[in-house]
Amino acid sequence: MSKLQPVRGTHDILPEESRRTRHVVETAREMSERYGFGEISTPIFEFTDVFKRTLGDTSDVVTKEMYTFEDRGGEELTLRPEYTAGIARAFISGGLRQHAPCKFFGHGPMFRYERPQKGRLRQFHQIDAEIIGVAGPQADIEVIALGADILRALGVLDLTTLELNTLGDVESRGAYRVALVEYFGGHADKLSDDSKVRLEKNPMRILDSKDKGDRVLVEDAPRMSEYMNAASQDFFASVREGLDNLGVTYSLNEKLVRGLDYYTHTAFEFTTTELGSQGAVIAGGRYDGLIETMGGPSTPGIGWAGGIERLSMLTTAGISAPKPVSVIPIGAASENIAMKVAHDLRQAGFVVDMGFAGNPGRRMKRANALDAQAAVMLGEDEIAKGVATIRDLTSGEQREVALAELVAALAVYR
């Protein structure tokens, strides 16, 4: 029998990494709460149509990367490849329009069939923030500022660059689409097969192509800024002014696009050079047409998603495990008393380790390996006197303390 391994593109999140990922999530949750975002959790799988409608039939995610299956009832379901579609579906099916504007924070696993590499897995985890029901640039400013504050709280903002662009309104995008069709249509024989399909259905998707030949053509393609109407220019100016006012620095990047038609106005990414080719750690944009595309009422929205694994790798500061107090029974007769002492200390709020077996020497080695702060030793003599011996594992000093006073005596190690 071959050696069992995790499925390619997945990995076990062991305690040390779990502490880092939990730190990312808890930091993001706390900061989102300061901004008034409520936490949401949508199902890990949805009807496939939820993602086909929102991500587009020609997107790489839909055509190449989704984990889709038929359940025993004959329904076609898909493991979620991203969060926004599920949150938009919840907004519609939950009748949340009456509560708009809605501000949501979420986190959890996503699934895409991609070539695994550093910072890119087939099961990966994201934090996510969405504002639904606000048409004005205030929402753009706030959601970007939230992303910046989360990165700042994690100590990694200085390792990133906020790249900012505008996709314009529907009118501007329509004019730009015509220009792209004319330009790429004149070079159709040089386009990749995927981009030939995109030319017919969604030409802005060509700007996202990773094909080398396509990238050469993209360099000379028309720029969105050439087709912006006055309303779109004013909206983008307000976003930039708001970010300037909050001290959120950014770099303009006209090549930053979102190919799907329901995306409008602001597009942005916080990128880094610290993780090789996987540079985006938070990416998002405004999607004023998304909920209508899904069959809901016309409702504006904007949001972003951040890669937890990537943020965890950027967070170089060690997130250490809590240092325990070790309870060490000396002799079999002390085991039950020691277990009760350990239980009482945990109830009092201490982190407590008690080895399940071994002589006192082995248990003390375990205490040192766990970087325990103190050892509480209980032998027959101590039990007879109703005391425990506390040894400070940094100084080596030890003293006897009455069992009734143990919690107070250990307060310095809480």
Side-chain angles (χ1 to χ4, degrees):
M1 181 177 179
S2 60
K3 187 176 181 181
L4 289 176
Q5 296 289 338
V7 174
R8 187 167 186 256
T10 69
H11 75 299
D12 301 308
I13 304 177
L14 300 177
E16 182 177 351
E17 184 181 353
S18 288
R19 286 192 292 272
R20 294 199 306 272
T21 58
R22 186 172 67 245
H23 175 63
V24 170
V25 171
E26 290 178 350
T27 300
R29 177 188 288 117
E30 179 185 346
M31 192 60 65
S32 297
E33 287 177 346
R34 292 189 197 179
Y35 275 73
F37 284 65
E39 188 162 353
I40 188 172
S41 181
T42 63
I44 288 176
F45 54 86
E46 301 266 2
F47 291 116
T48 299
D49 194 46
V50 168
F51 302 113
K52 280 190 174 180
R53 283 193 185 189
T54 58
L55 296 173
D57 289 338
T58 62
S59 73
D60 285 347
V61 175
V62 171
T63 60
K64 301 176 183 178
E65 298 170 4
M66 292 202 317
Y67 281 93
T68 298
F69 60 96
E70 186 176 293
D71 71 4
R72 294 184 179 184
E75 302 281 8
E76 187 178 76
L77 307 176
T78 295
L79 298 178
R80 65 184 180 197
E82 55 94 39
Y83 226 137
T84 304
I87 292 177
R89 191 271 311 146
F91 179 85
I92 298 169
S93 63
L96 299 179
R97 184 183 186 185
Q98 61 185 318
H99 301 294
C102 298
K103 299 160 71 171
F104 297 117
F105 166 77
H107 68 93
M110 312 293 154
F111 304 86
R112 294 188 187 183
Y113 188 86
E114 298 184 285
R115 183 171 63 86
Q117 52 190 291
K118 181 180 180 181
R120 185 185 290 272
L121 298 166
R122 291 179 177 174
Q123 177 180 324
F124 57 101
H125 299 77
Q126 289 185 337
I127 51 175
D128 187 275
E130 313 286 346
I131 300 179
I132 299 177
V134 180
Q138 298 92 341
D140 307 51
I141 298 162
E142 181 169 297
V143 83
I144 293 172
L146 169 61
D149 277 346
I150 290 171
L151 295 176
R152 182 180 292 108
L154 290 171
V156 302
L157 182 61
D158 290 344
L159 300 177
T160 68
T161 298
L162 170 58
E163 298 182 9
L164 189 68
N165 194 23
T166 179
L167 308 176
D169 59 12
V170 173
E171 180 183 79
S172 299
R173 281 180 64 101
Y176 187 42
R177 179 189 176 106
V178 170
L180 288 178
V181 170
E182 181 179 354
Y183 171 76
F184 286 119
H187 300 280
D189 58 323
K190 300 176 184 177
L191 289 172
S192 67
D193 290 340
D194 284 345
S195 287
K196 288 176 182 176
V197 174
R198 292 167 181 154
L199 180 61
E200 298 293 327
K201 295 188 175 182
N202 198 339
M204 283 192 72
R205 290 289 300 160
I206 299 174
L207 301 176
D208 286 333
S209 174
K210 303 300 187 290
D211 180 84
K212 291 182 180 179
D214 291 346
R215 297 308 305 166
V216 172
L217 294 175
V218 167
E219 285 298 317
D220 294 325
R223 297 291 182 231
M224 183 74 215
S225 58
E226 301 168 12
Y227 300 88
M228 297 273 288
N229 59 24
S232 297
Q233 293 176 23
D234 290 345
F235 191 100
F236 193 44
S238 294
V239 172
R240 298 198 311 273
E241 181 181 354
L243 294 176
D244 291 340
N245 185 48
L246 298 182
V248 178
T249 60
Y250 55 86
S251 174
L252 297 179
N253 179 4
E254 278 199 76
K255 296 179 181 179
L256 178 61
V257 298
R258 298 287 182 262
L260 300 172
D261 287 339
Y262 56 74
Y263 278 104
T264 58
H265 292 298
T266 312
F268 59 92
E269 292 184 359
F270 288 89
T271 62
T272 184
T273 59
E274 303 290 318
L275 300 176
S277 61
Q278 305 308 314
V281 293
I282 286 178
R286 176 168 280 278
Y287 48 81
D288 287 353
L290 171 62
I291 290 176
E292 189 173 7
T293 296
M294 297 180 71
S298 178
T299 309
I302 184 169
W304 54 253
I308 293 176
E309 283 84 0
R310 297 181 189 181
L311 290 169
S312 176
M313 286 188 288
L314 271 188
T315 307
T316 54
I319 310 298
S320 58
K323 295 183 177 182
V325 170
S326 287
V327 174
I328 299 176
I330 302 172
S334 305
E335 290 279 353
N336 287 340
I337 297 294
M339 186 164 286
K340 180 64 167 62
V341 167
H343 179 75
D344 290 345
L345 289 175
R346 289 166 181 148
Q347 297 298 304
F350 292 90
V351 177
V352 179
D353 177 77
M354 178 179 163
F356 294 106
N359 60 36
R362 287 185 61 184
R363 296 192 193 223
M364 190 62 76
K365 285 182 180 179
R366 175 180 171 84
N368 290 326
L370 293 173
D371 200 19
Q373 303 177 80
V376 177
M377 296 178 287
L378 291 157
E380 292 182 9
D381 291 344
E382 282 87 359
I383 292 171
K385 292 189 291 184
V387 301
T389 298
I390 299 176
R391 178 183 294 177
D392 186 297
L393 296 180
T394 300
S395 67
E397 296 178 359
Q398 63 183 51
R399 59 195 172 103
E400 288 187 350
V401 175
L403 291 177
E405 299 172 5
L406 195 56
V407 169
L410 291 170
V412 294
Y413 304 113
R414 194 189 302 273

